[in-house]
Amino acid sequence: MKGPTGRPPLWSYWIVLPSFVVLWALTAWLLQSPLLPTPANVLDTMVRESASGELWHHLGATLARVVVAFVLAMAIGTAIGIVMGRSQTTNALFDPLLVLLLNLPALVTIILMYVWFGLVEVAAVMAVVINKVPNVAVTVREGARSLDYRLEEMATVYEFTRWQRLREVWVPQLFPYLMAATRGGLALIWKIVLVVELLGRSSGVGFQLHMAFQVFDVAAILAYSLAFIAVVQLIELAILQPLERRSSRWRQPEAAHA
Amino acid sequence: MLELRIAGRDFGQPVLGEVFATVSRGDRICLLGPSGIGKTTLLNAIAGLDKSVPESAVIGREQLRVGYLFQEHRLLPWRTLHANLRLVGASDDEAGTLLGQVGLAGYGHYLPDQLSLGMARRAALARCLAVKPDLLLLDEPFASLDPIMAGELKALIAGILNSQPDMAMICVTHDGGDAAILANRLWYLDGKPARLQWDDVLAEPGLVDGLLGRLRDLDLTGS
């Protein structure tokens, strides 16, 4: 028996997701409760919010925080991960801290940042970065440990500059690990950003969810959530997948005809 | 141009003993010795890859450009042959010329893993030459090639040595026959810890005879 591998075929998405919407519509129609709006209600809310510009404003604010936090977390986490993977001493120094941070609930970091630095943008982004850096560092550390020493020796003999070594020797080998960190990172970061916004910002999807929660506006909650899921999927399809395809082309080269 | 004053090299137990030797321009040294005796270790020490051998033990290397042909090609698998040569300092034209010189004209846009073992090794040799080396280090350049490919590569290396009389070479090999073709000097590494048992300069006319006489005393075939 062949187990399921990789992505299921595309048609499964076209059958399962619409069926789910139909099921949701039926349930909502049967219940007739304001706590479960119909898909049409949600779509209606989405169109209204988007026409007024509200949706775009808050989506944009959230996306900006996600991007800034993501870039910072990846840069810091990658640097720490490489150093930890290459140096026993650094690993011994940082590993206990990493264990501590990995097990620290996101909510605690967010609260502490807000308490210590106030309800400001920097505190919000820092809270997200602190939550994500340990994951990136751990993943990249694995990659840095598996760097091929034979290519290291080659780079030493041929006097590669630091920049050449990073760009030409390390990054291609770390690429699968960086992609794993990116995938996991994006999924984690946007969820944390929503909590950060809910607790202490006055813009963003998280803030809107908070407002909708106050008045039990479930249609708005679903509208904003679906809009953001769509954005995240778009990033996956338009940026991550093409990037991954392009950068792993060398892995399955066709044999030379010679 | 290069002076070795290696005091020894440990992997828990001594692998390499004292190695004292000088290498001059135009020296074509074949480094012979039984398997696992430390020939590659010595080559790495000379190349500066061995952190446990202090820099002061290899005098003059800093001033030399070194080309090292490793046992594996060690080209960057994600870069084309052309890009691999460009990375070590060859210009566009030089990269093309060098690939032509090693019989890989037209292969510049190939990735290393698209090539056969013999072709990849020739591409790696082209990279050695791209740095315009004063010292060429070859680690078993003919290992695991079929006899025809090995013969071609020997002829290629012999040709390169002829055209660049100032370049020095140190070539690790098991095969006395390689030495007969390429060497004008012979190192034999043996013992525990390993030392250079011979350091013979082979006079041109008696080169093959002298070498064969030496080799008759040894049984290198088993190693």
Side-chain angles (χ1 to χ4, degrees):
Chain A
M1 273 290 283
K2 194 167 159 282
T5 51
R7 262 169 180 273
L10 202 60
W11 58 260
S12 68
Y13 292 86
W14 289 104
I15 292 182
V16 174
L17 292 180
S19 312
F20 176 75
V21 174
V22 170
L23 195 68
W24 165 19
L26 274 175
T27 317
W29 179 72
L30 281 173
L31 288 178
Q32 291 290 340
S33 155
L35 295 185
L36 184 61
T38 63
N41 286 148
V42 173
L43 195 66
D44 216 37
T45 312
M46 222 189 271
V47 169
R48 189 162 22 92
E49 291 288 306
S50 116
S52 72
E54 281 284 283
L55 182 71
W56 303 112
H57 168 68
H58 293 293
L59 265 185
T62 299
L63 205 57
R65 288 187 189 112
V66 168
V67 169
V68 172
F70 172 77
V71 169
L72 281 175
M74 286 300 286
I76 299 170
T78 302
I80 294 178
I82 289 180
V83 176
M84 286 181 77
R86 308 285 300 162
S87 146
Q88 289 284 344
T89 327
T90 326
N91 193 42
L93 270 174
F94 277 84
D95 193 64
L97 291 175
L98 220 51
V99 173
L100 192 75
L101 284 174
L102 276 171
N103 290 296
L104 190 69
L107 199 54
V108 175
T109 331
I110 298 168
I111 292 170
L112 287 178
M113 285 293 124
Y114 277 152
V115 169
W116 287 338
F117 300 105
L119 298 178
V120 292
E121 201 62 48
V122 177
V125 172
M126 277 318 294
V128 183
V129 171
I130 290 172
N131 270 299
K132 183 52 198 165
V133 161
N135 296 58
V136 180
V138 166
T139 310
V140 174
R141 179 175 64 179
E142 278 320 301
R145 279 176 179 161
S146 67
L147 287 176
D148 189 346
Y149 76 94
R150 290 169 298 188
L151 292 180
E152 293 304 306
E153 291 185 344
M154 185 279 292
T156 306
V157 166
Y158 290 105
E159 294 174 344
F160 278 32
T161 60
R162 268 169 193 281
W163 169 243
Q164 282 178 323
R165 201 181 276 254
L166 181 71
R167 188 188 133 93
E168 302 289 340
V169 183
W170 288 359
V171 168
Q173 291 183 74
L174 291 177
F175 188 78
Y177 298 89
L178 292 174
M179 277 316 279
T182 300
R183 284 258 156 71
L186 224 50
L188 185 70
I189 282 178
W190 82 262
K191 286 166 193 163
I192 300 175
V193 165
L194 293 200
V195 180
V196 165
E197 289 172 345
L198 188 143
L199 286 178
R201 304 305 304 146
S202 52
S203 65
V205 175
F207 168 74
Q208 282 301 92
L209 292 179
H210 185 52
M211 302 306 280
F213 175 46
Q214 306 276 312
V215 293
F216 280 32
D217 183 353
V218 180
I221 291 175
L222 290 176
Y224 273 94
S225 313
L226 288 175
F228 207 75
I229 289 172
V231 170
V232 172
Q233 274 304 306
L234 201 67
I235 293 175
E236 166 81 24
L237 288 174
I239 301 175
L240 296 187
Q241 285 189 11
L243 186 69
E244 193 157 27
R245 266 200 300 275
R246 233 193 103 215
S247 303
S248 51
R249 248 188 323 212
W250 64 271
R251 280 173 201 282
Q252 295 99 20
E254 291 153 36
H257 301 289
Chain B
M1 66 175 194
L2 192 72
E3 188 179 347
L4 304 181
R5 286 190 191 164
I6 296 169
R9 165 75 176 88
D10 274 313
F11 280 112
Q13 53 180 2
V15 172
L16 209 55
E18 294 169 340
V19 176
F20 295 106
T22 55
V23 179
S24 312
R25 294 194 179 279
D27 274 356
R28 280 78 210 267
I29 299 165
C30 269
L31 173 54
L32 297 160
S35 277
I37 202 70
K39 299 188 292 293
T40 300
T41 309
L42 178 57
L43 214 57
N44 281 340
I46 294 170
L49 292 176
D50 198 325
K51 298 279 181 293
S52 68
V53 173
E55 286 194 18
S56 59
V58 186
I59 300 160
R61 190 193 49 236
E62 292 299 303
Q63 286 80 50
L64 298 179
R65 287 182 301 256
V66 177
Y68 193 157
L69 184 69
F70 298 94
Q71 287 188 22
E72 319 85 12
H73 62 68
R74 301 202 192 180
L75 298 158
L76 294 176
W78 37 85
R79 289 276 178 237
T80 62
L81 300 190
H82 190 83
N84 265 288
L85 296 195
R86 297 275 286 116
L87 259 171
V88 298
S91 70
D92 265 335
D93 285 349
E94 284 169 342
T97 311
L98 284 168
L99 285 175
Q101 204 182 334
V102 300
L104 291 173
Y107 282 93
H109 63 285
Y110 278 71
L111 293 169
D113 292 338
Q114 290 173 295
L115 304 177
S116 70
L117 182 69
M119 292 163 89
R121 200 166 290 166
R122 293 208 300 273
L125 180 64
R127 180 177 59 186
C128 291
L129 301 175
V131 298
K132 303 185 182 71
D134 305 300
L135 175 63
L136 188 60
L137 302 174
L138 309 175
D139 193 358
E140 305 212 21
F142 315 114
S144 48
L145 295 182
D146 68 55
I148 293 173
M149 281 206 291
E152 283 174 0
L153 187 57
K154 262 174 239 184
L156 181 62
I157 292 174
I160 290 163
L161 293 174
N162 275 335
S163 67
Q164 303 191 39
D166 266 355
M167 188 169 69
M169 173 198 79
I170 303 175
C171 173
V172 169
T173 177
H174 287 297
D175 182 356
D178 298 346
I181 292 169
L182 300 174
N184 61 14
R185 190 174 167 189
L186 209 59
W187 283 358
Y188 184 71
L189 195 68
D190 202 357
K192 251 184 199 293
R195 292 189 166 82
L196 286 185
Q197 305 292 336
W198 328 327
D199 182 357
D200 289 3
V201 176
L202 304 170
E204 194 69 46
L207 190 151
V208 176
D209 287 347
L211 179 69
L212 291 179
R214 278 294 208 183
L215 293 175
R216 234 168 270 135
D217 305 337
L218 299 165
D219 181 23
L220 292 175
T221 46
S223 51

